[in-house]
Amino acid sequence: MAGFLVIYGEELFIKFDIRHYKELRVKTMDYKKMVIPVIIALLLLFNFSTTVLANSLDNIYDEVSGEYPEDIEKMKENGASEGDIKKFINTIGDELSSKELDDENISEEVANVVLSMYLSGEHDDVFNAVIKGWGLSPDVLIEAYDSGGTGKVFELLPKSLQEIGYMVKEQLAEAAEKNIESSDLGNSAEPVVESNSEFLVESSKIIEQINKNLPKIIVNMPEGNSIVEVRAADIKEIFRVNKELEVQNAEGDVIFTIPPGTITINEENNLKFNIKRLPASEARPLAAKLSQEIKVVGDVFELNVKNTDNKQDTDISLNNPITAALSYENYEIAPDDEHRLAVFMYNESTNTWDLVGGKVNKDSKTVEWKANHFSKYAVMLVNKTFTDITDHWAKQDIEYLVARGLVNGVNEKNFEPMRQITRAEFTKMLVKVLNIDTASETEPIFADVPVETWYSRYVSAAFNAGLVNGVSSTHFEPNRNISRQEMAAMIVRALNYKGIDTEVTEEALNQLLSKYKDSSQIADWAKKSLAVAIDSGIIGGRTEDSLAPTENTVRAEAAVMIKRLFDKL
């Protein structure tokens, strides 16, 4: 268990647990004592979980200054010299090298070293340079801690300082000639290196679950394994009884769900599932390619599903995407940040991270997506928001969609939530939430939608998918504001496009609409669509008894409706 540090004196009290920070109380406005949250955040960087020894750390400064010259320069501008920073790095290594470290005491020892460095005053130049250089005033630090704990404070630190933490840990691990079981790219523990040995699931275990008539057949990888095989005959039997196959790693933080018909079964081959958790030495260079507003919050996994005949692996034939999920339960994610989590995939051909998106399930603490090919995946926190939605009622829904690339602001700083939305803008939202490919849409459909406009491909794709109609056979009126009943019609067509039942009886239709005093204003062609949209929970009244079917919709309302639609798909 992680150690506790309790410091009394001068009205300062801190109770500190290196893994779960339970309490922080500062009873003085003395500046030096107010930077304690930064010390706590620094301790996150040096949280070990295996035996390590120190060796020379002299090269770390050169590596960090080469990769983050602007950060180093900013520290220098705020009073930390090159010698100060080198001394800071080497003091950590020197202090730890004289200690007998193991899994039981490492957290306490590291905590004591870093905290004693702060309290000694010998490294004030480095601590104060970071605080001044990155605008980390006492108020900012305390507010960050109060709103999101130490993880929130950690996000405020420069990447160079985080990099120092990773490098120190790797250097210490190499000196001990061991694989370090250290933090992930932000705050999770990396497991023992998994074995590549393959584990073949016994058919009796599958049949036993089938005979119990369980809702799904679950296969768990043995601890330490990253590969598991399931016999083709067993999968065929699972599908025959109309059950889903669920495969998860030993820790339960990666889950594949395969409904019947998803995969074409080759009876001569087994199905091989590979769930490899990348070590920090492999994952960290990949994370370095991310922008400042995107942060990996968990481990990076390499995922794959193959056919195998024990001699050769071949690609599987997917009839539908496999459902995959990554857990974030063991990572320090503030509840107010969960909606900004999204899955990213590492693109090997471009050496960049591609946004996948996925749905956040706050109950199971997972992000789930449909995988139609395999690569390296990770859950990330997208720190993208807008200045004009800070206190807006739709803030979380807007940020949720932005994190998935489903909506954009009007510019980098503003979303304009209360501006009325146009037909073209809502059409684009709809096409993106349905993930309709627009690349081939080069022919204009309507005379008032020229091919050179930004919305041309979206309108063409939506029209060809049966989502929208023109106001006539030749005109779409893309820049006209969209009414709520028009939006309902498009939403219901989107549900139909995804094969979701939208039937509603005449009796149910009348019950759903009659409670609104302005239901007589609904156009005949929109009545069913509004009833279905209301029944699905996608559209509600403007007030308890007013539907406002002919009124125009603002961008915030549209975003909320798109979020609700996304949840239904």
Side-chain angles (χ1 to χ4, degrees), residues 231-245:
R231 290 182 174 89
D234 293 338
I235 296 175
K236 190 173 182 180
E237 182 63 14
I238 292 169
F239 289 172
R240 186 189 70 80
V241 296
N242 201 33
K243 302 289 185 183
E244 291 182 339
L245 171 62

Side-chain angles (χ1 to χ4, degrees), residues 165-378:
Y166 303 138
M167 290 181 178
V168 169
K169 288 186 290 189
E170 288 183 5
Q171 291 277 349
L172 293 170
E174 289 172 6
E177 297 182 346
K178 291 190 175 185
N179 289 317
I180 190 166
E181 322 279 295
S182 66
S183 75
D184 72 328
L185 304 173
N187 48 24
S188 76
E190 184 181 326
V192 176
V193 175
E194 294 162 329
S195 167
N196 286 325
S197 61
E198 299 175 14
F199 175 80
L200 181 62
V201 179
E202 297 178 19
S203 296
S204 60
K205 301 294 185 183
I206 300 292
I207 300 303
E208 181 181 356
Q209 292 187 67
I210 291 176
N211 290 339
K212 289 181 178 179
N213 197 29
L214 299 176
K216 61 178 64 175
I217 308 305
I218 299 176
V219 170
N220 292 305
M221 288 183 174
E223 189 172 353
N225 280 67
S226 61
I227 298 174
V228 67
E229 287 186 30
V230 183
R231 290 182 174 89
D234 293 338
I235 296 175
K236 190 173 182 180
E237 182 63 14
I238 292 169
F239 289 172
R240 186 189 70 80
V241 296
N242 201 33
K243 302 289 185 183
E244 291 182 339
L245 171 62
E246 183 177 287
V247 178
Q248 55 183 273
N249 63 347
E251 295 77 14
D253 48 9
V254 181
I255 303 170
F256 287 121
T257 303
I258 306 171
T262 301
I263 297 174
T264 300
I265 303 300
N266 183 338
E267 296 191 13
E268 298 178 358
N269 294 333
N270 295 336
L271 208 59
K272 178 189 289 187
F273 297 87
N274 192 332
I275 301 175
K276 178 185 177 183
R277 192 188 312 262
L278 297 190
S281 57
E282 293 182 33
R284 187 165 50 80
L286 301 181
K289 302 177 185 294
L290 293 165
S291 66
Q292 288 285 341
E293 65 185 24
I294 301 173
K295 174 192 172 187
V296 180
V297 297
D299 295 298
V300 177
F301 292 91
E302 186 166 7
L303 309 179
N304 218 323
V305 183
K306 293 277 191 178
N307 288 316
T308 182
D309 60 4
N310 294 323
K311 295 180 181 179
Q312 185 178 5
D313 294 343
T314 57
D315 292 334
I316 60 172
S317 176
L318 283 177
N319 302 317
N320 295 297
I322 289 176
T323 300
L326 294 180
S327 172
Y328 61 88
E329 184 173 11
N330 295 324
Y331 309 134
E332 290 187 6
I333 306 298
D336 288 345
D337 284 337
E338 288 181 272
H339 67 284
R340 295 193 285 141
L341 296 175
V343 170
F344 282 70
M345 180 195 76
Y346 188 71
N347 189 322
E348 302 284 356
S349 60
T350 62
N351 292 321
T352 58
W353 287 94
D354 292 343
L355 174 62
V356 174
K359 294 181 179 179
V360 174
N361 186 323
K362 293 184 179 181
D363 293 329
S364 64
K365 302 296 182 184
T366 58
V367 186
E368 180 183 290
W369 77 101
K370 302 293 185 181
N372 51 22
H373 61 282
F374 303 99
S375 181
K376 298 178 179 71
Y377 292 88

Side-chain angles (χ1 to χ4, degrees), residues 426-443:
F426 188 72
T427 298
K428 178 182 177 180
M429 286 185 179
L430 211 58
V431 168
K432 290 180 77 68
V433 80
L434 295 174
N435 196 29
I436 299 175
D437 184 22
T438 63
S440 61
E441 303 293 346
T442 57
E443 295 297 323

